[in-house]
């Protein structure tokens, strides 16, 4: 079974969905560790409850980004992961770290990338009057929130939506479905990164997969 390390900084709802999918066999992968850069991340508690080793590496303990990245990479490599999953991991990692895990590290971002990289995506959607919103799972490359997309789930924004309702809809209706699915595809070797593109079942993906492509057990 493929080995997965999950990086978190906060509440860990995405982590919980991955733990659940791991426990009931849908993930087809073994979550071998959860690492947080914050000691107060509630996701650590979720990991412990699931019997998964939970580690804290406080970024404030390091003199530079490079020093933190290097320590984080060592900690992660100690678990010999096939897949590194950033699930609400709120630290920007540097080029050396990205290169070390290129092709096996993915992130989830709460917008329809390339629209709205960075923070406060739900507020940006309201301010811009966007009619569509959603979330994207992508390979991590050196460009922040810019790596090739694996799957994107979207929905229509209504006139009643606020940044708060959008945050909940993105999490509940999109993120908690597409992230376990994306990890399951990777665990089965069905998705990979080659020459800067996403490959799926031996072909380059012309466009990211969508909610319609979710397998029944991830809907
Ligand atoms: C998610 O919206 C994710 O897309 C973003 O941070 C949030 C993490 O939430 N990067 P949680 O920690 O999984 O609950």
């Amino acid at each position: 079974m493929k080995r997965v390390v999950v990086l978190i900084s906060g509440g860990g709802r995405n982590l919980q969905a991955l733990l659940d999918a791991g426990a009931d066999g849908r993930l087809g992968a073994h979550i071998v560790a959860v690492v947080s850069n914050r000691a107060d991340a509630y996701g650590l508690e979720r990991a412990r409850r699931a019997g998964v080793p939970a580690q804290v590496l406080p970024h404030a303990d390091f003199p530079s980004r490079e020093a933190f990245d290097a320590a984080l990479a060592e900690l992660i490599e100690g678990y010999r992961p096939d897949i590194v999953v950033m699930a609400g991991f709120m630290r920007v990692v540097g080029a050396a770290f990205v290169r070390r895990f290129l092709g096996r590290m993915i992130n989830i971002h709460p917008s329809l990338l390339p629209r709205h990289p960075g923070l406060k995506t739900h507020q940006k959607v309201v301010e811009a009057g966007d009619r569509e919103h959603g979330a994207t799972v992508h390979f991590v490359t050196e460009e922040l929130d810019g790596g090739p997309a694996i799957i994107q789930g979207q929905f229509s924004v209504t006139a009643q939506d606020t940044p708060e309702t959008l945050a909940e809809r993105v999490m509940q209706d999109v993120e908690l479905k597409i992230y376990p699915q994306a990890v399951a595809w990777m665990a089965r070797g069905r998705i990979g990164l080659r020459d800067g593109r996403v490959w799926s079942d031996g072909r380059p993906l012309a466009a990211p997969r969508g909610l319609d492509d979710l397998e029944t057990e991830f809907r």
Side-chain angles (χ1 to χ4, degrees):
M1 262 222 256
K2 291 281 200 288
R3 298 168 63 85
V4 178
V5 169
V6 185
L7 309 183
I8 62 166
S9 300
R13 288 178 71 186
N14 278 294
L15 168 65
Q16 189 66 57
L18 295 168
L19 290 168
D20 293 346
D24 65 24
R26 284 177 297 144
L27 208 56
H30 186 199
I31 300 178
V32 292
V34 171
V35 179
S36 172
N37 64 311
R38 297 182 53 118
D40 62 355
Y42 181 65
L44 291 165
E45 182 59 30
R46 298 181 189 268
R48 287 184 203 110
R49 266 196 268 131
V52 174
Q55 299 268 5
V56 180
L57 191 71
H59 57 271
D61 288 0
F62 294 86
S64 64
R65 182 183 310 283
E66 290 70 30
F68 172 70
D69 282 4
L72 180 62
E74 286 305 315
L75 179 60
I76 295 170
E77 291 282 22
Y79 289 98
R80 294 180 288 106
D82 301 291
I83 306 168
V84 178
V85 176
M86 292 180 165
F89 183 64
M90 303 304 281
R91 292 298 295 175
V92 173
V93 290
F97 186 92
V98 169
R99 276 198 293 273
R100 193 152 166 179
F101 296 104
L102 188 68
R104 50 181 174 139
M105 181 160 61
I106 58 176
N107 180 47
I108 190 160
H109 181 79
S111 81
L112 297 173
L113 291 172
R115 204 153 168 75
H116 307 312
L119 299 173
K120 302 203 170 178
T121 57
H122 312 300
Q123 196 178 316
K124 289 174 183 167
V125 162
V126 171
E127 283 166 5
D130 290 359
R131 302 173 69 146
E132 302 284 324
H133 189 29
T136 307
V137 177
H138 64 93
F139 281 103
V140 177
T141 62
E142 290 179 37
E143 191 190 342
L144 182 67
D145 298 327
I150 297 166
I151 181 169
Q152 228 169 28
Q154 54 180 291
F155 58 80
S156 299
V157 177
T158 72
Q160 285 72 45
D161 273 314
T162 64
E164 291 71 33
T165 64
L166 289 176
E168 186 55 24
R169 294 181 70 194
V170 166
M171 177 62 72
Q172 196 63 45
D173 301 343
V174 183
E175 295 194 49
L176 299 181
K177 299 180 179 183
I178 66 174
Y179 220 6
Q181 173 73 83
V183 175
W185 280 332
M186 284 189 69
R188 284 185 247 140
R190 294 192 54 190
I191 286 279
L193 182 71
R194 221 193 296 162
D195 305 327
R197 300 184 70 173
V198 177
W199 285 64
S200 170
D201 298 329
R203 293 155 189 265
L205 210 56
R209 301 258 184 238
L211 290 174
D212 289 345
D213 298 311
L214 291 174
E215 293 164 310
T216 317
E217 64 262 42
F218 293 102
R219 282 169 190 257

